[in-house]
Amino acid sequence: MTRRSCAIYTVGAICALLLVSGIALMVAQVFRNLMHKRLKKEIVLVEGSRVFESWKAPPPPVFMEFFFFNVTNVEEILKGEKPEVKQIGPYTYREYRYKDNVTMLDNNTKVSAYNAKSFVFLRDKSVGDPDVDNITTVNIPLWAAMNKAQGYKSFLLNFMITSTKSHPFTTRTVQELLWGYEDALLNRIASSGTDVERVFGLMYKKNESSDGEFVFHTGTQNYLDYARIETYKGERMLKYWSTNESNRILGSDGSAFHPLLNKSERLYVFSPDLCRSIYMEFEKDVEVKGLPAYRFTPPRSVLASKEENPANEGFCVTPTECLGTGVLKVSPCRQGAPVVASFPHFYLGEDKYIEAIGGMSPQRHHHQTFLDLNPTTGVVVRASKRAQVNILINRIFGYPDTKSLKETIFPVMFLNESVEIDDASAAKVNKLLMIVNVGSNFPLIIMGLGGIMLIVFIVLLIRAHQQKTTNEEDTSYSPVNTKEKDDSQNGNYIGMTTKTEQ
């Protein structure tokens, strides 16, 4: 066997080995599984892991925008006419978030922390000055007091209302409505010996504070448990609602999700503001700063009526006090105040709520809550949490100012809490994705090399065949002359010469 033949057979053997190995590894997904296994070990909430520091102090900037609904026809409303409101905003704040008092528990399988927040006003991203701009809206302290003090108690409260000149509607600055003001009626009620907070504000005591202690799973035992809430304020269940299913604390706090997401799963997020867990479902593929992402959004069924979604029956305050689709009465966790939560402009809600208020215009682009998550790492690359605060107003027996009112879910304000991954963090995620993709696709690289070797093998075979043909032609027999020369001793003399054209 010649050296050339050995080379051809060697190339052929290597080619076959690479192709067979590459196909076998790809079918078995060996390298993909190895990379995913490595990823599951890297993305855990323990000291020294790839994500722990960014979980404690997220680098991307978070912005909180507040939009208020300014009432323009107070006197007409009190006469029973349709309310008219005008949206004013945003008043934008930079939100600084970090995990405080972080403590590892149960041999690093759980971690406790407080979600601390602080807010700094951004004038350049706002429509005006919160200390100057006035908003006319429903008098929430008054409506909360009237809802609690009914029957014979209404006589005493009416006296307090008159003496403090309280009115069903009030005009306050944005600063007061958000961060608090001392209310005359609450002050009078507190002076009577009732344990009532004298100050009211939609965001009162939420600046430089936390929602309470969370205990999270670290994901070391099961990657699907990564950042999942184990307890909130020491409890695994809430106590506000009528069924165990409604009271369950499910999912994460919305800041982190397990890696290797798939489009068919339902993601749960627990919201202390809503006093419940909500779920989100896959909507579409998106891309943020070059990072592929899955968009998850809450479907209509999350806030659907019990008729539309029987699983929501547990969120009825009482069996007879059930609201329709698109709204949730959260008075059980708001000290009985008639507070109703919804998406902005009653997005995904029933038409009756939208049509009851002049100035409502729900739009998917502006009012939808969504999470854009990188499916490989579970990292939040973009998100927007949008929620609206409403007050249920109606005729309350014993209070003359309410005698002409129709039951209405009255919008006060909505917020948009948004975040987008910063460039430095995006570069880190991109680098990690590149490593995962190269590792997962290593069998394709092997197959590619096998393909190259196959081409080389084919070329060598062709050249060998051509060389063999040439050699056969070069050794063909032909006479020396056109006439045969007779040799008396040896007969005809035949010489080995190349053929010439005849």
Side-chain angles (χ1 to χ4, degrees), residues 66 276 384:
F66 297 98
R276 62 164 290 186
S384 188

Side-chain angles (χ1 to χ4, degrees), residues 207-225:
N207 196 5
E208 298 182 351
S209 64
S210 71
D211 295 324
E213 185 190 38
F214 286 86
V215 174
F216 303 93
H217 287 268
T218 61
T220 54
Q221 293 181 311
N222 186 342
Y223 81 99
L224 293 174
D225 286 335

Side-chain angles (χ1 to χ4, degrees), residues 238-254:
L238 302 173
K239 299 177 180 178
Y240 304 126
W241 312 109
S242 59
T243 64
N244 288 336
E245 183 180 0
S246 300
N247 280 314
R248 291 176 66 192
I249 297 174
L250 301 171
S252 74
D253 64 350

Side-chain angles (χ1 to χ4, degrees), residues 283-284 297 347-348 362-369 386:
E283 182 183 272
K284 62 181 179 179
T297 61
Y347 174 70
L348 296 181
Q363 299 175 37
R364 181 191 195 92
H365 178 71
H366 295 294
H367 304 138
Q368 181 188 50
T369 291
R386 292 156 171 161

Side-chain angles (χ1 to χ4, degrees), residues 222-294:
N222 186 342
Y223 81 99
L224 293 174
D225 286 335
Y226 170 75
R228 181 173 67 83
I229 299 170
E230 171 69 9
T231 62
Y232 171 60
K233 292 183 177 179
E235 301 290 340
R236 288 186 172 88
M237 302 274 287
L238 302 173
K239 299 177 180 178
Y240 304 126
W241 312 109
S242 59
T243 64
N244 288 336
E245 183 180 0
S246 300
N247 280 314
R248 291 176 66 192
I249 297 174
L250 301 171
S252 74
D253 64 350
S255 64
F257 296 87
H258 69 79
L260 306 178
L261 295 163
N262 65 71
K263 296 179 180 180
S264 62
E265 67 181 300
R266 177 178 278 184
L267 299 181
Y268 284 86
V269 176
F270 172 67
S271 171
D273 294 327
L274 287 177
C275 314
R276 62 164 290 186
S277 298
I278 66 169
Y279 53 86
M280 298 189 180
E281 296 175 347
F282 174 80
E283 182 183 272
K284 62 181 179 179
D285 290 286
V286 296
E287 185 176 293
V288 181
K289 294 187 177 180
L291 298 172
Y294 292 166

Side-chain angles (χ1 to χ4, degrees), residues 433-488:
L433 292 179
M434 183 182 67
I435 295 171
V436 172
N437 288 334
V438 170
S440 299
N441 294 319
F442 192 68
L444 293 177
I445 298 174
I446 295 175
M447 291 174 63
L449 292 174
I452 294 172
M453 295 299 290
L454 178 61
I455 294 172
V456 173
F457 178 63
I458 293 172
V459 170
L460 288 175
L461 283 178
I462 293 173
R463 291 185 64 182
H465 179 72
Q466 289 175 341
Q467 187 67 38
K468 182 179 179 182
T469 303
T470 301
N471 289 339
E472 288 177 353
E473 292 175 349
D474 288 347
T475 56
S476 297
Y477 292 103
S478 62
V480 174
N481 295 314
T482 54
K483 284 188 174 183
E484 295 180 354
K485 293 183 178 180
D486 294 334
D487 186 87
S488 58

Side-chain angles (χ1 to χ4, degrees), residues 119-164:
F119 300 88
V120 176
F121 180 66
L122 302 177
R123 182 63 182 87
D124 60 322
K125 293 181 178 294
S126 305
V127 297
D129 187 343
D131 288 315
V132 175
D133 296 354
N134 288 316
I135 302 293
T136 298
T137 185
V138 292
N139 189 341
I140 298 177
L142 173 61
W143 282 98
M146 290 192 298
N147 270 268
K148 295 195 73 173
Q150 297 189 29
Y152 72 92
K153 296 180 181 179
S154 64
F155 294 103
L156 177 59
L157 185 58
N158 264 315
F159 174 76
M160 294 181 179
I161 291 172
T162 302
S163 63
T164 58

Side-chain angles (χ1 to χ4, degrees), residues 164 354 406 479:
T164 58
I354 302 168
K406 299 175 182 178

